[in-house]
Amino acid sequence: MRASRVPYLFLAPAMALFTLFMALPIGYTIYLSLRGAKVSGLGLGKGARSEIFVGAANYTDALADGALWNGWLRVLAYGLLVLVVMLGLALLFALLLDTAHVRLARFSRISIFLPFAVPGVAATLMWGFLYLPSLSPIRAVLDVDLLGPTAVTFSMANIAVWGGVGFNMLVLYTALRAVPRAYYEAARIDGASEIQIALRIKIPILLPAIILTTVFSIIATVQVFTEPTALRPLTNTISSTWSPLMKVYRDAFVTGDLYSAAATSIIIAAISLVLSFGFLRVVRDRAFGEG
Amino acid sequence: MRTNRLALAALAVTLAAGCSGAPQETASPSKAPAGPVTLTYWTWVPNMDKIVKVWNAANPDITVTVSKQAGGDDAAAKFLTAAKAGNPPDLVQAEYQMLPSFVAADAVADLTAETAQAKAEFGEGIWGLVTLGTDAVYALPQDSGPMMLYYRRDLFDKFGIEVPKTWQEYGEAARTVHKKDPEVFLGTFSSKDPGSFTGLAQQAGAQWWSISGESWKVAINDAATTKVADFWGGLVKEGVIDGQPYFTPEWNKALNDGKLLTWPSAVWGPGVLSSNAPKAKGKWAIAPLPQWSAGENSSGFWGGSSTAVAEKSPNRAAAAKFATWLNTDPEALELLVKEGAVYPAATKGGALLTEAPDYFSSQPDFWQQVAAISATARGFTFGPNVNVTYNAFKDGFDQAVQDKAGFAAAVGKMQEATLADMRKSGFQIAP
């Protein structure tokens, strides 16, 4: 009898925290998303505004909102850029640092990782200053408006890549260090070159770590908010609904419609869930199937 | 999976509401404070803590604590969120255009009884901004932002242009300047500052909102506003007026380097110029805004704010007492002018301003000019969802400046977005 209670005791703190900081807020968000403000007459004075149940209206409005879908398209383009370039570079750097004859490994590792330690807002402002036409040193060499309508997606992806490569590289590099050196020795005895070792041994072993970093990155790009928000005051090209999460912020804190903000955040959560689990499903068998 | 930030914020809101609900219901709001009370005050006026110190020393029963805010739209959103959560500050600085939103959200208290005597201290136009044209009084006016034309006197001489008396002359001057030096612009149109555009529309005689009976009339795309939008849209399209927003590092640089010759702005302009363009000290001067037709004499307001008391404040009487002192007492007004660099809304405040700002030392009659301009400024009634309108301004004009295809469509979008939001909430709208 006593023994059977022990597991619950151990679970209790985690469950309490989960309920307080996950289940309750999510529940409240769902509750809010089904409600709306109702004003009577001029809406001034006492009791002129009340909260009513509106059913799925906030969801249908959000789904029918062209601005939200345009936001998704922009984030899709941005996300593909970031995922491919950032993870590609992270993998490349991890493999390079893991080769036998690399010099200054410690220094390189730290300098690649360092941008990750810069807070997102600071990094965005720094890059923002580098992008601004009249201040930009880049502009002196390259004659493009880095904050122009098309270029701004690339400029934004650049900030994310700059900040994210280091972290992902570290995850991959750590996974590589855990691989027994004997594998490589065996391969070398069999006459494999460093490139062959990288492609045929290291990358297959790394696959679970690559998948992990990809899932993290997908979630992070779906939720992109800091970069466009911090860049927005500097340029005309970023609207208040540039990314889906910016629309949530706008609805909740600029135009004061918490209810549709709640509905949109549930939609965003659902889409990131589908994307990350969808991705996991597609790659699961290849990565973990052989055990 | 991660939870989103909104959900966390929502939780904070529920918790806060739960914690602070009980004591407020027992307190009777308009009763005079029995014992010593402590009030919190959200404001972004510089050095307000110094001003409040003077009050606290003289009023040991009512201690005010200042919480410095960032100002602007974010401060309004923060106050509305706190009010919804049930733990707003007792006193809040409210920009005139945001006050109707606060009233509509039932977030600020009606101070009619507490302010009966203070009313005489303010002009009728300013007082209208805190009553919203109703019988209630929702705040005490603190400062106002009449608009004028800031211009580089030295560079006007260099380019051989006169101070424009009409907007048409302004357009001509813009062409002349840009033709003489393609690097230089007479001015820029900022798509990030709806307040500036609002002031220019007010000057032209716009009435974006009005109340008729029990319904709102919304006319953001009225003839006056369209005239203003077409004027600026045409100059931006022509390329003789720049399209970069105000208050960016790039704008600072242009001001500092003498690449921008004018700035139609409000009375608080000297503070911005002195910190953002220190190199041009003594070179700027002010003149009345150019007019829409020769011989006219009018201006609009950009900014200006009031002191409101939260509906949920348990110490309404004490808060109103402090707000009245702050905005009408001669000692407080002097402190507001000296420490806070505020242009006071109270009529007797104008007399306190005698010495021209350091940055404008070359224009000794600075405050006389301001007083003359201020008398010609006209405002309008703000609606209950200015935040929506202003957001639509930013998105619409961002796009319009980028496309250089005129601004009329952007004004149309402002009207549409404002109406759609009001309809969605159920406001009564006059056809």
Side-chain angles (χ1 to χ4, degrees):
Chain A
M1 214 27 209
R2 273 175 68 91
S4 67
R5 269 193 229 149
V6 172
Y8 294 105
L9 210 66
F10 281 122
L11 269 176
M15 288 312 286
L17 286 175
F18 176 84
T19 315
L20 260 178
F21 295 110
M22 287 282 287
L24 269 179
I26 291 174
Y28 185 59
T29 310
I30 294 174
Y31 167 78
L32 274 182
S33 73
L34 300 173
R35 310 200 38 104
K38 183 74 197 158
V39 162
S40 59
L42 287 175
L44 303 177
K46 272 210 146 339
R49 177 175 295 232
S50 53
E51 205 182 85
I52 54 162
F53 179 77
V54 297
N58 290 323
Y59 289 95
T60 48
D61 284 355
L63 291 173
D65 187 352
L68 183 63
W69 294 111
N70 286 334
W72 281 117
L73 283 180
R74 278 187 289 264
V75 165
L76 190 72
Y78 162 87
L80 281 176
L81 264 171
V82 171
L83 281 180
V84 171
V85 178
M86 182 174 74
L87 295 178
L89 284 177
L91 181 61
L92 180 70
F93 289 143
L95 288 172
L96 285 176
L97 284 173
D98 191 53
T99 48
H101 311 295
V102 70
R103 287 169 202 208
L104 291 172
R106 262 178 100 84
F107 173 76
S108 313
R109 212 163 58 219
I110 289 191
S111 49
I112 297 170
F113 181 74
L114 213 54
F116 180 69
V118 178
V121 174
T124 308
L125 286 178
M126 184 197 81
W127 279 103
F129 275 71
L130 292 175
Y131 293 155
L132 276 173
S134 75
L135 301 170
S136 172
I138 306 170
R139 192 80 188 269
V141 190
L142 206 70
D143 190 31
V144 275
D145 181 2
L146 294 165
L147 292 171
T150 327
V152 76
T153 305
F154 291 87
S155 301
M156 211 129 40
N158 176 55
I159 302 172
V161 169
W162 180 80
V165 164
F167 171 76
N168 290 295
M169 174 211 68
L170 211 64
V171 173
L172 298 177
Y173 178 73
T174 316
L176 270 180
R177 298 306 285 180
V179 177
R181 302 279 117 183
Y183 290 6
Y184 307 151
E185 241 161 78
R188 268 186 214 109
I189 289 168
D190 284 345
S193 68
E194 284 297 321
I195 292 181
Q196 279 174 318
I197 293 176
L199 291 179
R200 301 214 167 159
I201 299 178
K202 290 181 177 178
I203 291 185
I205 291 178
L206 267 185
L207 218 48
I210 294 176
I211 289 168
L212 179 81
T213 53
T214 311
V215 171
F216 282 170
S217 306
I218 289 177
I219 294 173
T221 46
V222 166
Q223 300 184 348
V224 60
F225 177 77
T226 314
E227 290 89 352
T229 307
L231 275 184
R232 189 166 169 243
L234 301 181
T235 166
N236 292 329
T237 41
I238 301 167
S239 71
S240 64
T241 52
W242 195 89
S243 80
L245 210 58
M246 284 174 78
K247 185 182 141 57
V248 173
Y249 178 84
R250 186 202 70 180
D251 287 349
F253 300 114
V254 179
T255 60
D257 188 353
L258 266 181
Y259 316 103
S260 64
T264 311
S265 24
I266 300 281
I267 293 175
I268 293 175
I271 290 186
S272 33
L273 214 67
V274 168
L275 281 179
S276 27
F277 277 91
F279 174 76
L280 274 181
R281 229 190 140 77
V282 168
V283 296
R284 186 175 51 193
D285 298 337
R286 288 198 53 171
F288 311 109
E290 288 152 22
Chain B
M1 201 201 86
R2 278 191 248 163
T3 180
N4 54 58
R5 285 175 203 141
L6 184 74
L8 281 175
L11 174 79
V13 163
T14 16
L15 287 179
C19 301
S20 58
Q24 278 155 13
E25 268 148 48
T26 51
S28 128
S30 44
K31 221 190 335 194
V37 294
T38 309
L39 305 172
T40 46
Y41 178 23
W42 284 7
T43 175
W44 57 88
V45 171
N47 297 320
M48 184 54 90
D49 45 345
K50 288 185 192 163
I51 303 172
V52 160
K53 217 178 252 171
V54 175
W55 162 269
N56 286 344
N59 297 274
D61 276 356
I62 306 173
T63 309
V64 179
T65 318
V66 168
S67 166
K68 185 89 193 263
Q69 303 298 306
D73 298 347
D74 290 346
K78 191 170 162 188
F79 174 70
L80 281 172
T81 312
K84 191 172 164 54
N87 60 340
D90 298 284
L91 292 140
V92 65
Q93 180 173 3
E95 288 179 288
Y96 295 120
Q97 79 273 11
M98 293 311 296
L99 197 56
S101 313
F102 291 180
V103 174
D106 212 1
V108 291
D110 180 356
L111 304 175
T112 316
E114 290 85 348
T115 57
Q117 277 164 16
K119 188 183 172 193
E121 305 281 342
F122 301 95
E124 226 168 273
I126 290 279
W127 194 250
L129 290 173
V130 295
T131 64
L132 320 181
T134 66
D135 294 331
V137 178
Y138 294 107
L140 277 154
Q142 181 159 82
D143 63 328
S144 76
M147 285 184 82
M148 56 206 77
L149 187 70
Y150 289 83
Y151 68 99
R152 278 290 291 265
R153 194 182 293 175
D154 57 328
L155 296 177
F156 266 47
D157 290 344
K158 186 186 151 202
F159 282 94
I161 48 173
E162 298 275 314
V163 178
K165 292 261 181 304
T166 62
W167 285 112
Q168 199 192 344
E169 284 174 29
Y170 185 88
E172 294 302 331
R175 290 183 192 100
T176 313
V177 167
H178 194 58
K179 206 164 151 195
K180 283 192 179 160
D181 186 345
E183 294 264 288
V184 177
F185 289 100
L186 184 65
T188 181
F189 183 87
S190 173
S191 57
K192 302 285 183 196
D193 293 284
S196 160
F197 182 72
T198 306
L200 294 173
Q202 287 173 340
Q203 187 211 12
Q207 287 288 344
W208 287 0
W209 288 271
S210 47
I211 295 175
S212 71
E214 272 302 291
S215 48
W216 287 96
K217 203 164 176 301
V218 183
I220 295 164
N221 56 355
D222 63 2
T225 309
T226 311
K227 179 169 71 180
V228 177
D230 283 344
F231 172 76
W232 289 98
L235 292 178
V236 168
K237 191 174 171 183
E238 225 180 300
V240 293
I241 283 285
D242 200 10
Q244 59 167 314
Y246 298 146
F247 311 116
T248 65
E250 184 134 282
W251 181 72
N252 294 347
K253 188 171 187 294
L255 285 180
N256 227 347
D257 296 350
K259 299 280 161 77
L260 276 175
L261 307 193
T262 68
W263 183 30
S265 181
V267 67
W268 39 259
V272 177
L273 289 173
S274 59
S275 61
N276 296 16
K279 275 203 306 200
K281 188 182 169 192
K283 294 173 182 163
W284 286 83
I286 56 166
L289 280 185
Q291 301 296 315
W292 284 103
S293 33
E296 260 180 24
N297 197 6
S298 61
S299 178
F301 290 104
W302 179 7
S305 57
S306 58
T307 312
V309 176
E311 171 68 26
K312 294 224 172 81
S313 166
N315 304 305
R316 180 181 300 180
K321 201 172 160 200
F322 168 74
T324 309
W325 173 83
L326 179 65
N327 297 309
T328 61
D329 187 89
E331 188 189 8
L333 289 176
E334 201 168 332
L335 286 166
L336 275 178
V337 169
K338 282 220 179 91
E339 301 285 354
V342 149
Y343 184 67
T347 21
K348 65 183 165 218
L352 296 167
L353 293 150
T354 43
E355 203 177 324
D358 203 23
Y359 193 80
F360 284 83
S361 48
S362 64
Q363 197 165 21
D365 65 340
F366 184 89
W367 291 115
Q368 283 90 311
Q369 289 246 29
V370 168
I373 292 166
S374 174
T376 68
R378 55 185 173 204
F380 56 50
T381 308
F382 283 102
N385 62 340
V386 175
N387 36 8
V388 173
T389 313
Y390 278 16
N391 185 69
F393 169 89
K394 289 182 196 168
D395 279 347
F397 279 77
D398 265 354
Q399 188 72 40
V401 166
Q402 222 182 95
D403 297 347
K404 294 195 173 182
F407 290 172
V411 171
K413 278 186 207 157
M414 286 169 75
Q415 167 84 356
E416 261 168 53
T418 309
L419 269 182
D421 178 72
M422 288 179 78
R423 286 214 177 92
K424 189 181 166 196
S425 308
F427 285 98
Q428 195 80 245
I429 292 162

